Amino acid sequence: MGRESRNTATRRGFLKSGLAAGGALGAAGMANAAGAAGSAEIKVEPWMQELGPGVDAAPYGTPSPFESSVRRRNVEWLTADPVSSVNFTPIHELDGIITPNGLCFERHHAGVAEIDPAAHRLMINGLVDKPLIFTMDDLKRFPRENHVYFLECAANSGMEWRGAQLNGCQFTHGMIHNVMYTGIPLRLLLEEAGVKPNGKWLLPEGADASAMTRSVPMEKALDDCLVAFKMNGEALRPEQGYPLRLVVPGWEGNMWVKWLRRIEVGDKPWHQREETSKYTDLLDSGTARRFTWEMDAKSVITNPSPQAPLNHTKGQTVLTGIAWSGRGTIPRVDVTLDGGKNWHKARMSGPSLSKSMHRFYFEFDWDGKPLLLQSRAHDSTGYVQPTKKALREIRGVNSIYHNNGIQTWHVNEKGEAENVEVS
Ligand code: MTE
Ligand code: CO
């Protein structure tokens, strides 16, 4: 027996004994587990017989070398030049709702700006009583808040508009991350500058060479936007806008300006490149939807999926995935195993926060026959995630952005999954 197959057998054997000992599963689960190959083995391993590295081995900890496949990846044909490109969050390797900082997908239009925080400034100018320039120290003297929000690029799933294309939820749905931000409500900084009565729009600007700019309506800025300097407790990563980024909860990722250096207050939108030629949806009628800021409810099954096949051929099976909405929470996700003929209510687990990722599970006893897996999110406004067919009927297929259609994975008898569409 080769090394690899022996390991597999041992892992299955361990699972079997674990299930039997735990006794937490129903009769079906026990019976299935008993059918698994191999037998349990507990040995004295080398790591039990020698001392490990001391506490100073890793002043900043990194994952186990056995987890080296858990990493951001790109799609080669989308990466003509890495300074203006995208990579994807390995959502099939993650659980819970928080995206670890080193795994948050990156989307840069001019590479990562390398900024010395001591030299960084944030300016607020335009239609204000008192134009202001803040240092990072100045900003840290304002009251700050903590909020968990998803950021989804409007182009997430964009390559799937015309049909199933990429084999892996990392590539079809991985332009998303979910992070706890620490930041100052933008409202407080605007109050400090004093917005003039005709100040109705904002133009945040990035300090990177792309000078990323987007028009943001004043109501949104006063409602829940943050000027954030920490993510998941530590300083923003350079890739995510160190030392300062705008957080625009529930709205398309492009508006979350990184390396934030200036916010201009104006009386109308600016019609920048990223809100005219980009991030608008050309309809079949020849007209375009624009200012489609809010991200509609969406979900995807992350396991099993093409990069994460099932390692068994029948029996006790855990299905899991993520769901989110730019308009609130996700009280419910449905799951189907047969391409939409029968729907089952998934089990939500973990915090349910507005404009944050949600985690769902569905445990079932797999009969070993092929599966057509789909998930369907319901958000707190009552909106239900549409099929791709329903979406195309309204929006045509010219679009790249805002594809929140239901995703299908075909799972064969071997447990391998593939990206498909059902009509
Ligand atoms: N801000 C600046 N300054 N420069 C950029 O290239 N890219 C935008 C937005 N903010 C961008 C930016 C886009 S299109 C997206 S989807 C998000 O940042 C990506 O954020 P992330 O890299 O943290 O995932
Ligand atoms: Co984007």
Side-chain angles (χ1 to χ4, degrees):
M1 199 188 264
R3 188 158 176 241
E4 210 166 60
S5 51
R6 195 171 63 237
N7 283 348
T8 309
T10 308
R11 202 167 55 237
R12 283 184 182 157
F14 178 74
L15 180 69
K16 175 185 159 188
S17 68
L19 293 177
L25 290 167
M30 305 269 287
N32 291 321
S39 60
E41 227 183 305
I42 293 205
K43 294 190 295 192
V44 176
E45 302 285 2
W47 52 83
M48 301 168 71
Q49 300 169 68
E50 60 197 42
L51 298 174
V55 286
D56 290 331
Y60 193 108
T62 51
S64 156
F66 293 100
E67 299 295 319
S68 62
S69 67
V70 182
R71 57 182 186 87
R72 301 188 278 223
R73 289 185 179 81
N74 58 34
V75 171
E76 231 163 79
W77 54 262
L78 277 174
T79 312
D81 183 340
V83 301
S84 178
S85 194
V86 62
N87 60 22
F88 301 85
T89 306
I91 49 177
H92 62 294
E93 301 272 19
L94 302 178
D95 220 310
I97 64 164
I98 295 293
T99 314
N101 288 344
L103 295 174
C104 290
F105 86 95
E106 305 168 69
R107 171 73 178 106
H108 316 311
H109 290 70
V112 177
E114 203 183 293
I115 297 181
D116 172 359
H120 190 68
R121 300 287 180 271
L122 172 65
M123 174 156 106
I124 298 186
N125 70 332
L127 297 176
V128 290
D129 298 331
K130 198 171 37 155
L132 293 172
I133 295 178
F134 302 93
T135 63
M136 289 301 292
D137 284 342
D138 294 337
L139 291 172
K140 286 177 182 170
R141 295 173 66 185
F142 282 83
R144 61 188 85 155
E145 292 182 6
N146 297 297
H147 295 276
V148 179
Y149 295 124
F150 76 83
L151 179 162
E152 183 183 18
C153 179
N156 200 21
S157 315
M159 289 82 80
E160 305 290 307
W161 256 110
R162 292 166 194 219
Q165 183 159 219
L166 294 168
N167 253 325
C169 62
Q170 178 167 19
F171 309 115
T172 56
H173 291 74
M175 276 196 238
I176 188 162
H177 48 65
N178 200 57
V179 159
M180 176 174 284
Y181 294 96
T182 305
I184 303 141
L186 179 52
R187 176 178 46 82
L188 298 182
L189 302 181
L190 291 170
E191 276 167 15
E192 187 79 9
V195 175
K196 291 193 185 298
N198 57 338
K200 297 291 177 214
W201 288 81
L202 308 179
L203 189 75
E205 178 187 277
D208 55 330
S210 79
M212 175 66 63
T213 37
R214 283 291 302 257
S215 303
V216 179
M218 184 62 74
E219 305 82 70
K220 181 66 174 172
L222 298 178
D223 178 20
D224 59 1
C225 287
L226 295 176
V227 172
F229 49 91
K230 298 221 160 144
M231 58 192 292
N232 295 329
E234 64 178 1
L236 292 174
R237 291 288 169 94
E239 304 93 296
Q240 266 67 49
Y242 180 86
L244 215 55
R245 107 173 286 170
L246 187 64
V247 169
V248 191
W251 289 23
E252 62 188 15
N254 185 258
M255 304 175 86
W256 298 47
V257 172
K258 302 193 274 191
W259 311 294
L260 182 66
R261 72 181 286 272
R262 189 170 74 93
I263 297 174
E264 186 177 333
V265 179
D267 57 358
K268 50 184 170 311
W270 281 261
H271 303 289
Q272 299 285 350
R273 186 189 87 122
E274 302 286 305
E275 51 205 20
T276 51
S277 92
K278 306 290 174 193
Y279 301 98
T280 60
D281 302 312
L282 181 61
L283 303 175
D284 275 345
S285 63
T287 57
R289 290 164 86 232
R290 53 164 209 169
F291 292 167
T292 45
W293 302 308
E294 271 173 326
M295 299 307 288
D296 288 323
K298 186 165 168 181
S299 68
V300 65
I301 293 169
T302 52
N303 305 84
S305 64
Q307 297 161 287
L310 292 173
N311 289 327
H312 55 278
T313 49
K314 61 179 176 174
Q316 178 84 25
T317 301
V318 173
L319 176 157
T320 187
I322 51 177
W324 61 93
S325 165
R327 295 197 170 84
T329 59
I330 299 285
R332 174 175 157 195
V333 173
D334 303 322
V335 164
T336 174
L337 308 180
D338 54 16
K341 291 189 197 109
N342 299 288
W343 290 93
H344 315 275
K345 214 166 153 184
R347 182 171 62 85
M348 309 304 297
S349 176
S352 172
L353 302 166
S354 183
K355 300 167 191 172
S356 162
M357 208 181 257
H358 290 60
R359 172 65 56 179
F360 66 87
Y361 296 94
F362 182 68
E363 291 86 8
F364 67 101
D365 202 6
W366 183 27
D367 61 9
K369 303 214 178 82
L371 302 165
L372 279 173
L373 303 180
Q374 300 179 329
S375 62
R376 179 173 72 185
H378 299 241
D379 78 11
S380 46
T381 70
Y383 173 93
V384 182
Q385 186 183 358
T387 61
K388 286 197 191 177
K389 187 162 170 272
L391 206 55
R392 288 184 186 124
E393 271 162 22
I394 299 168
R395 304 260 301 276
V397 290
N398 298 320
S399 235
I400 307 167
Y401 307 108
H402 305 285
N403 174 5
N404 69 321
I406 290 175
Q407 173 67 44
T408 314
W409 306 125
H410 176 263
V411 178
N412 69 16
E413 287 100 336
K414 289 188 214 146
E416 298 157 342
E418 196 189 351
N419 183 2
V420 300
E421 282 194 15
V422 289
S423 51

